[in-house]
Amino acid sequence: MDFPMFHLDWLNDRFLIAMIAIIHVFINHGLAVGFIPYITWLEQKGVKMSGASQITDPEWDDMVYKKMKVAFIITTTLGAMTGVGIWFSAALVSPSSIGSLIRVFYFAWFIEWLTFVSEVVLIMIYFLTWKNAGKTLTSKLRHIRFGWFLSIFSWITMAIIVSILGFMMDPGNWNKHHSLLNGFTNPIYLPQLFFRTPAAMILGGIFGMLLTTIFAKRGTAVRNIALRNASKWILSWAPITVAAAYIYYHAMPEAMRSNMSTAVGTIEFAQYYELLRYIIPGAVSLVVIISIWALLRPKSIRFVLVLVPCLAAFGFLGIFERVREFIRKPYIIAGYMYSNLLREEDYPLYKRDGILKYATYASTVEITEENKLAAGRDVFMLSCSRCHTTNGINSIVEVFERIYGAGKPLDENSMEAYIPNMHNGRTYMPPFPGNKKELKALTAYIKHLQLSGEPLGGAQTEGITVNPQNNVQAAEALLKKNETSAADNELSKK
């Protein structure tokens, strides 16, 4: 309401965030939280495997270094860019929710930023000093300690962010007692952290196994030992992950679990939700099977054999992130702010006066027959555009055509009857926030979209129009009116 609305009508705004965020989580969980401790553990094993006159096994250490080089390049380039990209895209698409989260978690985010800076410094030290660290045993052991410090700082970064993600799903008693402590210790925080930690370790292990097939020559003892070590790493974390997943699933509110079939894909995909009972266990089983295989018969392991379960594991993480992001609907911050960025406590005001009156950037305030379509466009932008497009991904026109029949002209009266009650049947939809005039304007605009195929441009292409009741002149006039009223009251008292 207080920000110009950025909108990508061909893509879908939230899809933009999702693409960037999922790539970042792949890198953060798979290469930072899970892979770094795995690499440090392997480097430490190299020292134990060395001969009496050696500091570390040189062939082993070279292989582990090459693995770390891959992680270093990806995390410091794509990882860094997508991390910034999340902030950039979320601030464009969802500024109100980001602003609210910053107000609640300001000090937590500040600590996370300091931790992240420390993490960047540590990964630079850890990777860039690797070669020189092998000159003496003391420097090598110091280098390994840097690896463990880096692992801890990487985990702390995730631990802080997971609290914020859990808060968005279930703030707990924060809505009654607004404090950082209440927000941070939300009911989903520890179950989610307990799940993400071992899951990240498994991702790091399977990715490490894949890199072993690239950097270690077939038939060598180093390759066989590395594959067995990756198997032991994965299999030791697997039962913890399964137990944590069970706890996390049951910690989620029932309403979110019931949204899961739609959250996994789209309305069209909901009918295939039952397949996930086979797909998800299948993906997990592939990782376990290849780990057992590598443990028993490491010489037979090939790149392709590891690639499939590796892709399955990262694909599972992608599905998990999508589900987590969408099951909290109709809220973006549960119990506080709906996914259209309107606060739940403000709805009575919007229902009475309409949302256009309180929007900072709206071209229309009073709806007439002449400006009905322009008003409907503003209502759609304010109340629908965070999740829907006009004719792109998750098109509002296609939604209603699925309800009333494709190829048929949409009926405004039917839509007017449906929209105020849509949230009862589709619990992932927030209630319509506007008044009756705005409802009529919205339905007229949706029908116009069906007939015209007209795209909806965001503030980045269309520019902005300030609500005529919210500009400087209107504010000055209101102040003068209040001053005059106050003066009249004083005179009447005398």
Side-chain angles (χ1 to χ4, degrees), residues 243-265:
Y246 178 85
I247 294 170
Y248 177 38
Y249 178 80
H250 288 278
M252 286 187 267
E254 177 60 33
M256 292 187 181
R257 292 204 297 270
S258 15
N259 271 351
M260 200 165 286
S261 59
T262 304
V264 168

Side-chain angles (χ1 to χ4, degrees), residues 426-439:
R426 301 186 177 197
T427 54
Y428 47 86
M429 293 283 291
F432 177 67
N435 58 23
K436 290 183 179 180
K437 284 187 176 182
E438 291 174 340
L439 174 61

Side-chain angles (χ1 to χ4, degrees), residues 4-60:
M5 301 299 274
F6 174 90
H7 183 64
L8 293 177
D9 202 47
W10 55 277
L11 179 65
N12 184 294
D13 299 322
R14 294 199 184 280
F15 194 70
L16 173 66
I17 300 176
M19 288 192 304
I20 298 171
I22 288 175
I23 294 172
H24 183 72
V25 170
F26 284 165
I27 296 168
N28 175 267
H29 285 33
L31 299 185
V33 177
F35 190 72
I36 297 299
Y38 166 76
I39 284 293
T40 306
W41 179 62
L42 291 184
E43 185 187 9
Q44 193 167 284
K45 279 189 171 294
V47 175
K48 293 179 180 179
M49 290 164 54
S50 62
S53 61
Q54 294 176 317
I55 295 168
T56 185
D57 185 298
E59 187 180 358
W60 177 271

Side-chain angles (χ1 to χ4, degrees), residues 292-367:
I292 296 172
W293 188 350
L295 186 64
L296 299 177
R297 300 187 60 187
K299 292 181 181 180
S300 63
I301 296 297
R302 306 287 185 273
F303 173 80
V304 175
L305 294 177
V306 185
L307 178 63
V308 174
C310 186
L311 291 176
F314 279 89
F316 170 76
L317 179 62
I319 293 173
F320 165 75
E321 283 302 314
R322 176 179 169 82
V323 170
R324 180 201 57 74
E325 182 70 21
F326 280 82
I327 58 175
R328 65 173 181 259
K329 286 185 174 183
Y331 295 101
I332 192 166
I333 301 175
Y336 175 74
M337 182 178 288
Y338 285 116
S339 53
N340 54 17
L341 308 185
L342 303 178
R343 293 188 304 175
E344 185 178 39
E345 65 181 1
D346 294 333
Y347 258 59
L349 194 65
Y350 299 146
K351 290 283 187 182
R352 188 191 71 188
D353 301 332
I355 59 174
L356 295 178
K357 178 179 179 180
Y358 298 101
T360 303
Y361 299 96
S363 61
T364 307
V365 179
E366 296 297 330
I367 301 174

Side-chain angles (χ1 to χ4, degrees), residues 437-459:
K437 284 187 176 182
E438 291 174 340
L439 174 61
K440 287 181 177 293
L442 177 61
T443 56
Y445 177 67
I446 294 172
K447 183 174 182 179
H448 169 74
L449 290 175
Q450 185 194 36
L451 297 174
S452 67
E454 179 182 280
L456 176 66

Side-chain angles (χ1 to χ4, degrees), residues 176-442:
K176 292 183 179 177
H177 306 286
H178 295 176
S179 72
L180 171 60
L181 182 61
N182 284 331
F184 200 89
T185 57
N186 58 80
I188 297 184
Y189 173 46
L190 290 180
Q192 186 174 180
L193 183 62
F194 181 43
F195 168 74
R196 283 181 182 270
T197 300
M201 300 302 171
I202 289 178
L203 288 172
I206 192 65
F207 185 67
M209 184 183 288
L210 183 70
L211 293 181
T212 298
T213 64
I214 297 173
F215 294 125
K217 293 180 180 179
R218 283 180 58 186
T220 60
V222 166
R223 179 187 173 104
N224 295 339
I225 295 170
L227 289 172
R228 283 199 174 104
N229 279 321
S231 299
K232 291 175 183 177
W233 179 272
I234 293 167
L235 293 174
S236 64
W237 288 105
I240 302 173
T241 307
V242 172
Y246 178 85
I247 294 170
Y248 177 38
Y249 178 80
H250 288 278
M252 286 187 267
E254 177 60 33
M256 292 187 181
R257 292 204 297 270
S258 15
N259 271 351
M260 200 165 286
S261 59
T262 304
V264 168
T266 62
I267 295 293
E268 300 96 322
F269 189 80
Q271 59 183 312
Y272 303 111
Y273 174 60
E274 292 298 315
L275 290 176
L276 290 173
R277 294 185 179 182
Y278 306 100
I279 294 172
I280 293 176
V284 175
S285 299
L286 279 175
V287 176
V288 174
I289 289 169
I290 196 67
S291 299
I292 296 172
W293 188 350
L295 186 64
L296 299 177
R297 300 187 60 187
K299 292 181 181 180
S300 63
I301 296 297
R302 306 287 185 273
F303 173 80
V304 175
L305 294 177
V306 185
L307 178 63
V308 174
C310 186
L311 291 176
F314 279 89
F316 170 76
L317 179 62
I319 293 173
F320 165 75
E321 283 302 314
R322 176 179 169 82
V323 170
R324 180 201 57 74
E325 182 70 21
F326 280 82
I327 58 175
R328 65 173 181 259
K329 286 185 174 183
Y331 295 101
I332 192 166
I333 301 175
Y336 175 74
M337 182 178 288
Y338 285 116
S339 53
N340 54 17
L341 308 185
L342 303 178
R343 293 188 304 175
E344 185 178 39
E345 65 181 1
D346 294 333
Y347 258 59
L349 194 65
Y350 299 146
K351 290 283 187 182
R352 188 191 71 188
D353 301 332
I355 59 174
L356 295 178
K357 178 179 179 180
Y358 298 101
T360 303
Y361 299 96
S363 61
T364 307
V365 179
E366 296 297 330
I367 301 174
T368 64
E369 282 300 317
E370 290 74 23
N371 67 16
K372 183 186 282 188
L373 289 181
R377 183 181 186 276
D378 284 346
V379 172
F380 178 85
M381 182 65 85
L382 294 168
S383 60
C384 312
S385 67
R386 298 308 85 193
C387 299
H388 292 282
T389 64
T390 58
N391 287 286
I393 296 174
N394 203 22
S395 160
I396 192 69
V397 173
E398 290 181 4
V399 168
F400 280 104
E401 285 182 339
R402 282 196 298 268
I403 297 173
Y404 298 116
K408 299 178 182 179
L410 294 176
D411 181 67
E412 293 181 43
N413 292 327
S414 298
M415 288 191 289
E416 285 176 29
Y418 174 75
I419 290 174
N421 302 296
M422 62 187 175
H423 60 286
N424 295 322
R426 301 186 177 197
T427 54
Y428 47 86
M429 293 283 291
F432 177 67
N435 58 23
K436 290 183 179 180
K437 284 187 176 182
E438 291 174 340
L439 174 61
K440 287 181 177 293
L442 177 61

Side-chain angles (χ1 to χ4, degrees), residues 146-187:
F146 271 113
W148 288 121
F149 287 141
L150 172 59
S151 302
I152 292 169
F153 275 80
S154 298
W155 181 84
I156 292 173
T157 299
M158 182 185 75
I160 296 172
I161 297 300
V162 166
S163 169
I164 299 168
L165 298 178
F167 175 83
M168 296 173 76
M169 296 172 72
D170 185 357
N173 65 350
W174 178 86
N175 280 317
K176 292 183 179 177
H177 306 286
H178 295 176
S179 72
L180 171 60
L181 182 61
N182 284 331
F184 200 89
T185 57
N186 58 80

